[in-house]
Amino acid sequence: MYSDSQLTSLLDSETLKYLQKKNRGGGANQNGNTYENFFAIHQIALFAPLVIESGEEIYFFSQIIAFVDDLIVDLGKESALQHFQLKNSPTVSWGSDNSTGNIAYDFRKQRHLNTEAKSRDSELFLVVSSEETQTKLQDLIPSDLADCTCVVFFPFRSTIDEFLQTHADFRQAIIYLTAFENPSRDKIECVAKVLLGAWVASNTKYIAVMDVLTSAQQCQPSFIRSFLPDHEISIDPEVSAILEQIVGFHFSLSRGFLHWEYTDDGWSTDGTFPHSYESDEFQRLQSRIKQVAPSTFEDLEALL
């Protein structure tokens, strides 16, 4: 994100040594950092509608050489660079002076670096796991940082299930990503875990949000929606004709997945084919249906 020449021309040798040491320490501590990983997928899920529906190109950086480096969000050259520093600790402060290692020092240096190296404004966020700490630090933001800095409360949770239950906005964002209009709890949790896995397995130093979503979608089964609008996808007309003649069988293609329901003499069952419209598995299903041409649900069920 910042070239070596930019860093050496803008920073004195002591500051550069501090920055490099800070980056090495952050990288070593990243593995298994539940707090940082949950915050990252929270942001990915919230940005997903912009990426999927509007085609916005949004990039994430994590643990790169920067003063505020836990997560950096780039919304494009016309927008400010968003930097997040996460502190899951009850003892957090801005620092009493402008010494290296203080949060206020890092925030000042980050704003300067963005201005001089990127000609970009900065939005700097200190994310803390205590609501009391958030209130205190928000009131104590140094005056020279007040116009670009905010303190955010983001509580720590140790499991995805706890995270989903206590973060309503994250839960709704994950529901948006699922293949279902009204997903069950296990499907919501499945999608959240797949998204987490995709993020952790990615090169988080620099990655597009769409690339993380696509990686998660390719896990099978993931039950992550298609990124194509419903009007651009359709079942093969020959397949539709075969399915429509099966008595008691009803189906729809929504969010890129085949959802079905079968009713017979007061008894009913339903399901979802666990592979999306774009997958090879879905195309093979359509080929099998055309080949077998099932006339009853029992014949079709063996294919599903």
Side-chain angles (χ1 to χ4, degrees):
M1 186 173 184
Y2 307 101
S3 67
D4 290 342
S5 61
Q6 288 175 325
L7 294 173
T8 53
S9 65
L10 292 170
L11 305 175
D12 60 58
S13 59
E14 289 302 312
T15 304
L16 187 55
K17 286 180 182 177
Y18 162 74
L19 184 58
Q20 291 168 338
K21 181 179 179 181
K22 185 177 189 294
N23 176 252
R24 287 193 298 269
N29 292 331
Q30 187 181 27
N31 290 336
N33 193 325
T34 301
Y35 190 58
E36 291 182 13
N37 288 333
F38 279 13
F39 184 79
I41 64 168
H42 177 261
Q43 294 296 304
I44 290 169
L46 293 180
F47 280 123
L50 274 177
V51 172
I52 294 171
E53 296 179 22
S54 302
E56 297 283 343
E57 294 186 0
I58 300 173
Y59 293 89
F60 278 23
F61 305 78
S62 179
Q63 300 299 344
I64 64 169
I65 294 183
F67 290 94
V68 182
D69 64 344
D70 284 336
L71 182 67
I72 303 169
V73 178
D74 187 350
L75 300 171
K77 291 183 178 180
E78 302 304 315
S79 301
L81 285 167
Q82 297 181 354
H83 292 253
F84 299 84
Q85 197 70 45
L86 279 69
K87 296 293 183 182
N88 181 24
S89 169
T91 56
V92 183
S93 71
W94 290 107
S96 58
D97 54 29
N98 200 37
S99 302
T100 58
N102 288 336
I103 295 174
Y105 172 88
D106 288 340
F107 275 41
R108 291 185 182 103
K109 286 294 185 181
Q110 188 61 64
R111 180 176 60 182
H112 173 73
L113 189 59
N114 286 344
T115 299
E116 298 301 323
K118 296 295 183 181
S119 299
R120 301 276 295 274
D121 290 334
S122 301
E123 293 179 357
L124 308 175
F125 299 88
L126 177 57
V127 182
V128 297
S129 57
S130 162
E131 198 164 11
E132 180 181 349
T133 301
Q134 185 269 334
T135 301
K136 179 184 71 175
L137 292 179
Q138 182 68 37
D139 292 339
L140 295 175
I141 293 175
S143 58
D144 61 316
L145 292 171
D147 63 337
C148 65
T149 300
C150 183
V151 184
V152 176
F153 169 55
F154 186 78
F156 172 78
R157 295 293 182 265
S158 58
T159 69
I160 280 287
D161 186 54
E162 291 177 2
F163 188 35
L164 286 165
Q165 298 308 311
T166 56
H167 289 71
D169 59 343
F170 177 66
R171 182 180 175 84
Q172 286 303 124
I174 292 297
I175 289 174
Y176 167 83
L177 282 173
T178 70
F180 310 91
E181 294 295 336
N182 296 294
S184 60
R185 177 173 172 172
D186 65 309
K187 295 298 191 300
I188 297 171
E189 189 171 341
C190 173
V191 168
K193 287 180 176 179
V194 167
L195 185 61
L196 175 62
W199 167 253
V200 172
S202 298
N203 176 16
T204 59
K205 287 184 178 296
Y206 172 69
I207 191 164
V209 169
M210 179 55 89
D211 288 345
V212 181
L213 295 173
T214 300
S215 177
Q217 186 189 53
Q218 289 171 349
C219 296
Q220 296 293 343
S222 73
F223 292 115
I224 291 182
R225 65 181 298 156
S226 169
F227 302 147
L228 296 172
D230 282 348
H231 69 267
E232 291 187 12
I233 58 180
S234 60
I235 296 177
D236 184 310
E238 185 180 346
V239 173
S240 288
I242 293 170
L243 297 180
E244 286 169 356
Q245 57 83 37
I246 298 176
V247 177
F249 186 76
H250 305 279
F251 65 95
S252 65
L253 190 62
S254 174
R255 300 190 178 196
F257 279 73
L258 176 66
H259 306 280
W260 56 266
E261 180 180 9
Y262 175 69
T263 303
D264 179 29
D265 194 25
W267 174 83
S268 66
T269 185
D270 57 55
T272 298
F273 185 67
H275 303 280
S276 70
Y277 171 84
E278 295 99 329
S279 69
D280 292 339
E281 290 83 357
F282 190 91
Q283 301 312 316
R284 283 196 289 269
L285 171 67
Q286 294 200 110
S287 296
R288 291 198 303 271
I289 290 174
K290 288 190 289 186
Q291 181 181 11
V292 175
S295 59
T296 67
F297 176 68
E298 288 73 17
D299 295 334
L300 174 63
E301 190 176 21
L303 305 178
L304 296 173

